[in-house]
Amino acid sequence: MGSKRSLKTNNKIMVQGTASSVGKSVLCTALCRIFKQDGYSVAPFKSQNMALNSYVTADGGEMGRAQVMQAEAAGIAPLVEMNPLLLKPTSDQGSQVIVMGKPVGNITAMDYQEWKNKLLPVIDDAYNRLSNQFDVIVIEGAGSPAEINLKDNDFVNMGLAKRIGAPVLLVGDIDRGGVFASLFGTAALLDDDERSLLKGVVINKFRGDPEVLKPGLKQLEALINLPVLGVIPYFNIVLDDEDSVTDRFKNNRMEKVLNIQVVLLPRISNFTDFNPLEIFEDVNLAYIHKPEEIDNPDLLIIPGSKNTIEDLLFLRETGWTKPIHDYVQNGGFLMGICGGFQMLGMKLSDPRGMESSLAEISGFGFLDFETKIEKEKLTQQVEAYWGYSDDRFFTGMKGEKITGYEIHMGQTTYFDTDNIILVQPENRWDGAVGVNGQVFGTYIHGIFDNLSWTEKLLNRLKALKGISKKSQSPYKNFREFKEIEYNKLADLVRANIDMNEIYKIIGLIN
C-alpha cells in the first residue's frame, strides 16, 4: 500500500467481536502481516488476555500466545507490552494474574473487577511504549463489547477504544449461525460515544456462494448504518489457538501410520506444544477425553496444566490411573510435558497452597523424582541438548539441540541422575526417562518445534513397528512453516476485505 515511512502518529485499528472465538485473533494476525507486507512497522496489542496458552519472551516475561502469533506475523519479537495483563484460570472463579509478564498472585473474578482501575496506568504505559515505536498498532478486544454488566470498568473493548480514540472493526462468525442478529444486537447495545467508533463490520468463516449472502449484507448495512468491509471464507490454515475453544479438541481419528494421543486435562495449558506434529502427513494427533479412548497409541502424552495437582486428582477420580499403567505395562510409550511431566514422578507437594488446597499427592510413580510447588514461578527461554541415549528408543538423539521455554512453579528434585534426558547451560538438568525408556518427560514447552528431534522421535516409533519409511518434515524448521501460513492468511484476507477502506479508517491514506 505504500513504502515504509516513519509515522509515529499513533495510527491504530481495533478489532472487536460479537462473542469469543469469532475470529478476532486471526483477523488481527492477518492485518499485522498485511501491514508488514505493505512496508509499515506494526505491533499487536491486547490489554487483557484470558488464556492458558502462554509464552515466555527473551527477557523472561509471560504473555498470551495470540499476541505472540500476531508479533510473529508482524515480523517482530514478542514483548510483554503487547499483552500487559494475562489471566490464567486456576478454577471456575479464580485466576492467576500476570502483570507485565510477572505473576502478582491469584484473585477471584469479583475481586478482579474491583481491582481493575489500579491497572489502568499499566495498560496506558504499555500501549504508549508501543505507539512510540511502531507505525501502526493492531488492537484486539476480548469477548464482546456488549457485555453490559462489565462496561463500567472495561479497558479491553470499548473502554479502551474510547481511551485511545481507536476506530473499531466488529467481527461476527457466520459459521455458528445468527451472524446478522449478533452484529445488529451488538451495535444496538453500544452507547452513542461507543457506536461512533464503529467503522465497519466483517463477517468471518463463511461457507458457500457469496452471491447468496449479498441481500442480507445490504439489509444489515441499512440497519446498522455501517459498511460490511469483508466476508472472510472458512479456511484451513494452521495457526495457534488462543484458548481451549478449538476444533483441535474434537476427537478426529484417522488412519495414519502413527497414532499420537494427548490427554485432554480440564486445565490443559500450552497445547500449542503439539501443533508441529500436524505438519507430518503420516501422524494422526488426537486429544482424548475419557480413559476408555486410549487406543493403544504409538505415543500417549500428558500435557501441561495450570493446576497440576487438581488435574492429577481429576485423572484419579475419573478412572485414568489403571488404563495409563496398563498402557505402559503393555509396552506403550508415555510422555509428559511440564505439569504432565510432574505427574509422572513419585510425589507432588504444595505446602503453601499456591495452586491447590491439597498439600500433597502421589504421582504416577514412573520416574524417580519429586516436585514441590514453590512461591516463585520460573519463566525463561532455554537452550539445551539431548544428553541421553540407549539402544532401544533414543538412539541417535544424543547431542541434539533443543530450544523452547519453561513456565512452572514446581521445582523438581531428581533422585536418579543417570536418567536425565536434557542438559541446560551450567549443567542444569531437565527431564527424565524411566521404565526401560518407555516413559519420559520434560519441562520444555515447544520441544516439538525442534523438527530434527521430532523427526528422530517419530522415526524411532516407526522402527519399533517395523516401518522403514521415515518421517521427514518438508520444512527446515517450524518457524518456516508458520511464515508460509501467515502469508496464506494475509493473501486470503486481503482478497476478501476492503483494505483500501481500512487504510482510510486508520488514516494512512486519504
Side-chain angles (χ1 to χ4, degrees):
M1 180 56 63
S3 60
K4 183 179 182 341
R5 48 184 172 153
S6 182
L7 300 171
K8 310 297 181 276
T9 54
N10 203 12
N11 296 273
K12 62 261 181 182
I13 186 77
M14 188 170 193
V15 177
Q16 299 183 18
T18 58
S20 296
S21 300
V22 298
K24 298 185 294 292
S25 296
V26 171
L27 182 56
C28 286
T29 302
L31 291 174
C32 284
R33 177 49 57 106
I34 289 171
F35 293 140
K36 175 184 182 294
Q37 289 173 339
D38 289 348
Y40 298 99
S41 67
V42 55
F45 182 78
K46 185 171 184 176
S47 56
Q48 174 191 290
N49 209 337
M50 177 175 281
L52 289 178
N53 285 343
S54 60
Y55 176 83
V56 176
T57 62
D59 59 356
E62 189 176 0
M63 62 183 288
R65 290 287 311 199
Q67 281 61 61
V68 173
M69 176 174 69
Q70 292 157 8
E72 289 176 349
I76 58 175
L79 304 168
V80 294
E81 284 84 355
M82 299 168 185
N83 176 210
L85 304 180
L86 173 62
L87 306 181
K88 303 188 75 173
T90 55
S91 66
D92 290 341
Q93 296 185 352
S95 296
Q96 183 183 58
V97 182
I98 313 292
V99 179
M100 291 300 291
K102 302 298 179 185
V104 298
N106 294 346
I107 195 167
T108 66
M110 185 61 72
D111 289 341
Y112 184 67
Q113 291 303 316
E114 298 175 358
W115 196 44
K116 285 171 74 172
N117 283 335
K118 300 176 183 178
L119 298 172
L120 281 173
V122 175
I123 293 168
D124 289 344
D125 184 60
Y127 177 80
N128 288 334
R129 288 190 204 179
L130 293 177
S131 66
N132 287 330
Q133 294 180 60
F134 297 92
D135 298 336
V136 183
I137 309 297
V138 176
I139 308 159
E140 181 184 343
S144 164
E147 304 291 352
I148 55 179
N149 59 313
L150 301 177
K151 288 176 70 171
D152 286 347
N153 294 317
D154 171 57
F155 53 45
V156 68
N157 286 309
M158 281 299 177
L160 176 65
K162 289 191 294 183
R163 195 171 183 84
I164 62 176
V168 176
L169 302 181
L170 182 63
V171 183
D173 176 1
I174 197 170
D175 190 52
R176 63 175 61 186
V179 71
F180 295 114
S182 60
L183 288 167
F184 176 82
T186 300
L189 284 171
L190 298 179
D191 297 333
D192 289 344
D193 58 345
E194 298 169 336
R195 179 71 171 69
S196 66
L197 293 171
L198 282 184
K199 302 303 178 184
V201 301
V202 176
I203 292 176
N204 194 28
K205 305 181 189 178
F206 177 68
R207 306 174 192 250
D209 185 350
E211 291 299 317
V212 177
L213 197 61
K214 282 186 177 179
L217 300 182
K218 291 181 180 178
Q219 291 182 57
L220 178 65
E221 289 179 332
L223 286 168
I224 62 177
N225 194 29
L226 288 169
V228 176
L229 296 177
V231 177
I232 311 300
Y234 196 94
F235 58 82
N236 290 309
I237 296 172
V238 181
L239 302 168
D240 285 346
D241 293 291
E242 181 179 23
D243 52 34
S244 58
V245 183
T246 172
D247 288 340
R248 283 186 165 96
F249 289 168
K250 295 177 180 178
N251 195 1
N252 299 319
R253 297 193 181 190
M254 304 173 65
E255 292 296 326
K256 296 287 185 72
V257 174
L258 292 177
N259 177 29
I260 296 177
Q261 293 184 319
V262 179
V263 177
L264 186 58
L265 301 173
R267 300 166 186 83
I268 187 171
S269 66
N270 288 73
F271 58 85
T272 50
D273 285 342
F274 313 114
N275 292 358
L277 293 170
E278 297 175 2
I279 69 176
F280 292 91
E281 294 183 353
D282 51 5
V283 172
N284 179 49
L285 176 68
Y287 293 84
I288 55 175
H289 304 243
K290 301 175 183 178
E292 54 266 31
E293 293 176 341
I294 298 177
D295 189 22
N296 193 31
D298 299 293
L299 179 65
L300 179 65
I301 303 174
I302 305 178
S305 166
K306 184 60 194 75
N307 194 321
T308 306
I309 290 179
E310 293 296 329
D311 274 352
L312 179 55
L313 186 62
F314 166 84
L315 293 181
R316 284 188 174 179
E317 292 176 343
T318 53
W320 287 82
T321 303
K322 186 177 186 302
I324 289 176
H325 275 273
D326 288 348
Y327 166 75
V328 173
Q329 187 173 0
N330 292 327
F333 287 88
L334 177 65
M335 180 183 185
I337 296 182
C338 199
F341 168 55
Q342 294 172 349
M343 293 182 192
L344 300 180
M346 308 305 292
K347 184 175 71 174
L348 288 91
S349 61
D350 187 6
R352 296 181 178 86
M354 300 302 298
E355 292 187 355
S356 172
S357 58
L358 192 64
E360 185 176 294
I361 188 172
S362 297
F364 281 104
F366 291 120
L367 302 178
D368 194 12
F369 64 74
E370 294 180 358
T371 300
K372 182 179 180 181
I373 308 298
E374 299 287 2
K375 184 177 181 180
E376 298 298 322
K377 177 186 277 193
L378 178 66
T379 56
Q380 63 180 13
Q381 293 187 359
V382 297
E383 182 175 303
Y385 69 88
W386 193 265
Y388 181 87
S389 181
D390 66 11
D391 294 331
R392 184 182 179 209
F393 187 62
F394 296 106
T395 301
M397 292 186 185
K398 191 166 186 178
E400 190 78 26
K401 181 180 176 181
I402 302 292
T403 61
Y405 55 98
E406 294 185 41
I407 307 171
H408 56 93
M409 298 177 76
Q411 298 299 314
T412 294
T413 301
Y414 299 95
F415 300 117
D416 183 1
T417 57
D418 289 336
N419 287 331
I420 299 297
I421 58 175
L422 286 158
V423 181
Q424 297 182 16
E426 300 178 355
N427 289 322
R428 289 184 60 245
W429 296 329
D430 188 294
V433 62
V435 195
N436 299 316
Q438 287 176 236
V439 181
F440 62 104
T442 176
Y443 273 116
I444 298 179
H445 293 291
I447 188 168
F448 289 108
D449 288 24
N450 299 273
L451 295 185
S452 175
W453 177 84
T454 301
E455 287 173 3
K456 288 182 171 63
L457 178 75
L458 298 178
N459 290 327
R460 290 305 299 160
L461 290 171
K462 282 184 173 182
L464 291 171
K465 296 179 74 171
I467 298 171
S468 58
K469 184 178 180 181
K470 295 186 179 296
S471 294
Q472 185 169 4
S473 164
Y475 309 98
K476 291 184 295 185
N477 51 57
F478 191 54
R479 183 58 184 269
E480 179 188 12
F481 167 76
K482 292 203 284 187
E483 283 294 304
I484 293 170
E485 298 300 287
Y486 293 145
N487 286 332
K488 286 181 186 176
L489 176 66
D491 291 345
L492 179 81
V493 171
R494 194 191 287 270
N496 291 281
I497 200 170
D498 189 344
M499 281 305 302
N500 196 61
E501 187 61 31
I502 289 175
Y503 272 109
K504 289 180 181 178
I505 290 169
I506 295 174
L508 293 178
I509 64 173
N510 297 321

